Amino acid sequence: MKPIPKGKSQRLRVLRVAIAGTPNSGKTTLFNTLTGTHQETGNWPGVTVEKKEGVFTVQDYRVQVVDLPGVYGLSAYTTDEQIARDYLLHEHPDAVIVVVDATNLTQGLLLVLQILQLRVPTIVALNMMDQAEQEGLEINIAELERFLGVPVVPIVAVKGRGIRQLKERLLETVGRVPPEPRIPVDPRFEEAQRRLVRLLQESPLAREVPLAWLAQRLLVEDPWALALVQKDPLYPQIRRVLNETLPQLRHHLGADLEVYLVEQAYALLHGLVQRVVRRRATLRKRLVFTQKVDRVLLSPWFGLPLFAVVMALTFEATFQLSAPLVDLIAHGFDLLAQLLRDLLAGTPVPAWLTSLLLDGVLSGVASVLTFVPPIFLLFGFIAFFENTGYMARVAFVMDRFMHALGISGKSFIPMVLGFGCNVPAIMATRTLESEKDRLITILVIPLMSCSARLPVYVLFASVFFPGREPLVVLSLYFLGIALALILIKVLQRVMFHQREPESFVMELPPYRMPYLRNILLYMWMRGRVFVKNAGTIILVASVVLWALASLPPGVEYAGPRSVLGWIGRMLAPLLKPAGFGFAEAAIALLTGVMAKELVVGTLGTLLAGGSVEGLQHALGQYFTPLSAYAFLVMTLIYVPCIATVAVIKQETGSWKWAAVEVAMTFSLGYFLAVLVYQVGRLVL
Amino acid sequence: MRKTTVFTDLKPLALAPIGRPVRIVEIVGGRGLRNRLAHMGLFPGTVVVVELREAHGPVVINRGGTRIGVGTGMARKILVQPDETHS
């Protein structure tokens, strides 16, 4: 976040505003339009759900904006809904902007009604007015305002239309508690609700939550609401009212009272929309176009091959186009390091400091920056797919395959990207709506064999399995995929106790032209987040590794006398059951934590003084074909590289999952390497 | 017991005819599922049209101009019958 100049900030008063809205309402676009680059991305505490915060100024106010997760309602069945509800209820924002898609008014207003029940100062941003006009919809804004009792401002977020009015009327909204929405319900339900409200007035809860809303949530047996009153001294009486009224209400209004309420709200809004929207007789061109395109994109005969092509192109473009840039950065830093080394050689700067700066810090910075080009490109593509509406179709097209796995079809994209590099792949899980899918996908991506592991496979395969290299390399790729698929199933059982695969229901928004500004902003934000968050961790880790490899002073880098060498010797006996129980293998694996291709380099230095031919010869003395294969299995699976660990921390928002991943992959890799070696010895 | 005779044409959405209006009769699922569908405007009684459907695959339905993708598993849990009033 760019700081606002000091002299000015003292005169500014601070407002806290939340942006809410349904998925596809253009909520994030409005957030971007309001805040520009003055935004920060992180996670909501304790969950793998993105939190975006930003700042803008209007008149004498500095407005801090929080972008709440996109939700259809506030019933709190999903993490996203819980986050939105908790924020509105407990954080007491000065106002909430509810973004409503003007072309899908009923859906958006349903959320507005639920938010109004929380009695938070509310303003409605009626978005995509241009599309509504194109579709021949005339919306009577004044009538809508009268009905809702809160300001309604027509906007076109992507074009910045109506934003000034929105900001001005936002200021009017602050501090103004909206009228309670009157959703007509059965008199018996109202009576039960009134009884609960009367009871609750005596409770300390009366000061914390709107009672009419709480009473309603109790009547629909919202587990959260029930837990809230459980601690209340009035709980026995509350329970009694519920026991007395619920059987009767269910008998008359249906077993599921929550669905009953939503249905009543829908009926009310249906009537409202008929009053405030005039539909001029025009062809709904956009809908017809979308239907035609979908007939192709969603069919298994065209849609699947097309998706395969899109995937392949994205993959190639991300990693091939960025390759020259990555090389440029790497070489540039090599040159810079050489230049600085020569410069510093003539000065009294001690050699260890030069080494710290160049081999530790500078090489750390370089390794952070080499990830930036693929991240930029990848997120350019992802933003394009998201903004056009194609991403919503991906889940659909892949559903028949992913259904058996019980994970969203969209998980397929990050998993495939993992073959290029795990780091952007893990960042790409942001497109997954369900927190569960996001977390599981993040945890299995490191099993996708990334391109940095390939040099290790190629080296060992050429030495130990000449003529059968492709088979060996492919077997490792497939091993990784198989493990990932098994792990998805296991994690669902263990972490989420999910037995039956969950299925999706989602809106398929009309196809839209993406806006370049949105795409560029998205690329920029993702790149910046990576450099700031994961980048810092990678840098620290690279300095730590440098210290381990170069201390005590005077030893050969990563040599047997260094701290790293000592650790390697300690670990060597542990690796014996896997067939490579010698210090050099352990050291190579340790440096591989920094970046997996370093395994080759380290072995080269340690076993053959850096010569390639010498290494090929030396490997033959240290490994048998069997232990070589076990070593490759270990390289594939054990501890993801430090950048991946850093990005897992960044994306899940906690070190816990990064630690879980390290522990899980290490034990899995070790176990399988031992298994391969021991079983192989028996069989061969 | 419900009157079974009314439901002779009852089928899961996954097997519903394409392009003809059908009425949702029952949603066989837990609270979370029914609630999610309700928020998308899908209740018992709602009339929808199946736009796209592949054998053993997901389904696209149209509810008053809003198009909704329903996953394979969920399409088996939504029971529908032909809607005479709209055809």
Side-chain angles (χ1 to χ4, degrees):
Chain A
M1 231 176 282
K2 287 177 198 162
I4 282 176
K6 254 211 172 112
K8 208 174 159 193
S9 67
Q10 280 152 3
R11 282 188 284 117
L12 292 174
R13 289 175 51 199
V14 174
L15 288 180
R16 284 163 52 251
V17 170
I19 298 184
T22 57
N24 306 313
S25 59
K27 187 174 63 70
T28 302
T29 311
L30 175 64
F31 176 80
N32 288 340
T33 307
L34 286 172
T35 61
T37 55
H38 298 267
Q39 47 173 277
E40 290 277 303
T41 357
N43 280 69
W44 292 91
V47 289
T48 315
V49 177
E50 181 174 57
K51 180 184 194 181
K52 284 204 266 191
E53 290 173 286
V55 177
F56 68 89
T57 49
V58 51
Q59 294 175 18
D60 295 334
Y61 294 90
R62 179 188 154 91
V63 185
Q64 296 174 347
V65 205
V66 174
D67 190 16
L68 298 177
V71 291
Y72 289 107
L74 295 177
S75 38
Y77 280 103
T78 65
T79 315
D80 286 352
E81 287 178 342
Q82 275 161 26
I83 290 169
R85 176 155 117 180
D86 285 351
Y87 186 88
L88 294 173
L89 213 51
H90 302 308
E91 299 292 319
H92 306 290
D94 293 302
V96 53
I97 303 173
V98 190
V99 187
V100 171
D101 174 358
T103 66
N104 193 358
L105 210 49
T106 322
Q107 185 104 80
L109 290 177
L110 181 69
L111 180 65
V112 174
L113 286 186
Q114 299 199 0
I115 288 175
L116 288 177
Q117 288 187 312
L118 299 183
R119 319 302 302 278
V120 187
T122 300
I123 178 168
V124 174
L126 205 52
N127 194 19
M128 306 195 216
M129 285 302 285
D130 53 343
Q131 311 264 14
E133 279 155 31
Q134 273 174 30
E135 287 178 19
L137 302 178
E138 270 174 38
I139 302 173
N140 186 338
I141 306 279
E143 175 70 20
L144 200 54
E145 278 192 345
R146 244 195 316 281
F147 176 85
L148 295 170
V150 297
V152 176
V153 185
I155 65 164
V156 183
V158 279
K159 296 178 183 161
R161 249 167 61 190
I163 299 301
R164 217 191 54 227
Q165 294 91 310
L166 181 69
K167 285 180 181 174
E168 279 163 10
R169 297 201 64 190
L170 174 67
L171 295 184
E172 289 171 28
T173 311
V174 170
R176 193 172 291 176
V177 176
E180 201 167 339
R182 308 275 322 149
I183 301 165
V185 289
D186 190 273
R188 285 169 287 213
F189 189 96
E190 270 183 357
E191 175 51 33
Q193 192 179 358
R194 266 198 300 271
R195 274 179 72 185
L196 283 173
V197 169
R198 272 199 301 272
L199 246 174
L200 285 162
Q201 262 154 2
E202 313 291 319
S203 154
L205 285 170
R207 270 172 280 124
E208 286 170 38
V209 279
L211 291 184
W213 180 76
L214 178 61
Q216 206 184 70
R217 297 313 301 170
L218 286 170
L219 286 170
V220 302
E221 293 185 289
D222 180 330
W224 172 88
L226 289 171
L228 192 70
V229 296
Q230 202 125 49
K231 288 162 262 163
D232 199 273
L234 294 165
Y235 183 69
Q237 285 113 296
I238 294 170
R239 192 69 258 181
R240 207 176 59 227
V241 175
L242 289 178
N243 289 346
E244 277 170 26
T245 53
L246 281 180
Q248 190 209 5
L249 290 178
R250 285 212 199 90
H251 177 74
H252 291 287
L253 309 175
D256 201 326
L257 291 173
E258 177 145 38
V259 171
Y260 166 76
L261 285 182
V262 177
E263 204 170 354
Q264 292 303 106
Y266 252 105
L268 175 74
L269 293 173
H270 196 70
L272 171 74
V273 168
Q274 294 208 311
R275 262 188 298 142
V276 299
V277 179
R278 267 187 44 209
R279 206 175 286 264
R280 273 183 287 118
T282 49
L283 267 178
R284 300 197 65 185
K285 264 199 221 148
R286 197 165 59 126
L287 179 65
V288 174
F289 170 76
T290 297
Q291 281 172 326
K292 278 188 184 156
V293 175
D294 270 351
R295 223 157 276 156
V296 179
L297 290 191
L298 296 183
S299 80
W301 305 112
F302 296 98
L304 274 178
L306 191 86
F307 176 56
V309 171
V310 166
M311 224 28 257
L313 285 177
T314 308
F315 188 88
E316 283 295 302
T318 301
F319 297 108
Q320 298 294 343
L321 288 182
S322 61
L325 282 169
V326 172
D327 284 348
L328 199 70
I329 292 171
H331 284 124
F333 271 87
D334 279 351
L335 279 177
L336 185 65
Q338 197 53 51
L339 198 74
L340 289 173
R341 208 180 294 277
D342 292 345
L343 268 175
L344 291 171
T347 61
V349 176
W352 66 267
L353 186 59
T354 309
S355 176
L356 167 64
L357 290 175
L358 300 182
D359 302 325
V361 178
L362 196 67
S363 79
V365 171
S367 72
V368 171
L369 290 183
T370 51
F371 285 108
V372 172
I375 288 175
F376 261 30
L377 280 169
L378 176 61
F379 280 93
F381 291 117
I382 287 182
F384 180 80
F385 298 145
E386 284 274 11
N387 285 319
T388 49
Y390 183 61
M391 199 61 106
R393 273 73 184 179
V394 168
F396 194 89
V397 169
M398 286 307 295
D399 183 62
R400 59 180 60 230
F401 300 109
M402 301 307 253
H403 173 63
L405 278 176
I407 195 165
S408 160
K410 281 191 187 182
S411 298
F412 189 75
I413 295 178
M415 282 171 67
V416 169
L417 291 167
F419 290 121
C421 176
N422 292 172
V423 170
I426 287 171
M427 291 176 73
T429 58
R430 297 239 156 195
T431 55
L432 304 177
E433 284 88 10
S434 135
E435 198 213 354
K436 179 203 74 143
D437 288 356
R438 204 172 300 166
L439 196 52
I440 288 179
T441 312
I442 287 175
L443 293 179
V444 302
I445 280 173
L447 292 168
M448 302 284 116
S449 190
C450 68
S451 56
R453 285 169 240 188
L454 193 57
V456 192
Y457 305 161
V458 170
L459 173 72
F460 277 79
S462 69
V463 174
F464 294 101
F465 308 97
R468 280 177 298 160
E469 290 102 326
L471 193 69
V472 170
V473 173
L474 270 181
S475 73
L476 289 159
Y477 275 86
F478 279 111
L479 176 64
I481 297 169
L483 286 174
L485 298 185
I486 296 170
L487 205 58
I488 289 176
K489 277 287 181 195
V490 172
L491 289 177
Q492 267 166 351
R493 282 273 180 122
V494 176
M495 283 161 46
F496 298 95
H497 309 291
Q498 180 190 334
R499 289 178 186 272
E500 212 182 315
E502 202 173 90
S503 190
F504 73 90
V505 51
M506 64 192 299
E507 218 186 310
L508 295 173
Y511 289 104
R512 297 188 175 112
M513 271 304 278
Y515 281 80
L516 190 62
R517 185 178 174 276
N518 264 344
I519 294 178
L520 291 177
L521 191 65
Y522 194 59
M523 291 164 72
W524 171 247
M525 291 312 298
R526 298 261 56 96
R528 210 182 68 168
V529 150
F530 172 78
V531 171
K532 269 180 75 173
N533 298 357
T536 319
I537 302 170
I538 297 169
L539 194 60
V540 169
S542 108
V543 171
V544 169
L545 194 78
W546 170 85
L548 292 179
S550 2
L551 292 176
V555 298
E556 184 198 357
Y557 189 80
R561 308 180 70 84
S562 66
V563 178
L564 199 66
W566 180 78
I567 300 175
R569 275 199 304 283
M570 293 286 106
L571 288 179
L574 189 70
L575 298 175
K576 210 171 175 68
F580 41 88
F582 49 94
E584 288 82 355
I587 299 173
L589 289 172
L590 283 171
T591 54
V593 173
M594 194 61 218
K596 291 222 169 165
E597 69 265 35
L598 288 182
V599 169
V600 172
T602 310
L603 283 175
T605 323
L606 294 180
L607 298 182
S611 99
V612 178
E613 272 173 37
L615 176 60
Q616 289 183 338
H617 179 71
L619 283 179
Q621 294 173 331
Y622 281 88
F623 290 93
T624 65
L626 182 60
S627 70
Y629 194 78
F631 187 74
L632 290 183
V633 169
M634 185 74 178
T635 306
L636 163 70
I637 306 163
Y638 89 105
V639 186
C641 73
I642 192 68
T644 306
V645 176
V647 94
I648 290 175
K649 194 267 161 184
Q650 171 188 312
E651 295 300 307
T652 59
S654 87
W655 281 109
K656 183 180 109 188
W657 293 114
V660 165
E661 181 70 17
V662 169
M664 188 174 73
T665 49
F666 181 79
S667 18
L668 194 61
Y670 179 69
F671 172 73
L672 283 172
V674 171
L675 190 73
V676 164
Y677 187 67
Q678 297 300 341
V679 171
R681 266 206 323 187
L682 287 177
V683 175
L684 297 175
Chain B
M1 278 300 282
R2 284 171 192 252
K3 282 178 278 178
T4 42
T5 46
V6 184
F7 300 127
T8 43
D9 293 334
L10 205 62
K11 351 176 120 133
L13 192 62
L15 298 172
I18 297 174
R20 270 193 288 150
V22 290
R23 184 180 293 274
I24 297 176
V25 177
E26 208 176 324
I27 294 160
V28 189
R31 273 188 77 173
L33 174 67
R34 272 179 304 187
N35 185 53
R36 250 171 91 200
L37 291 171
H39 278 90
M40 310 281 300
L42 302 173
F43 311 95
T46 308
V47 174
V48 297
V49 175
V50 175
E51 268 191 23
L52 258 166
R53 176 170 69 75
E54 306 295 340
H56 311 293
V59 179
V60 178
I61 55 176
N62 190 323
R63 189 213 69 217
T66 304
R67 300 170 71 250
I68 299 167
V70 181
T72 313
M74 206 172 278
R76 292 179 192 151
K77 292 178 180 165
I78 301 174
L79 302 181
V80 298
Q81 67 179 31
D83 179 60
E84 291 82 15
T85 52
H86 284 70
S87 51

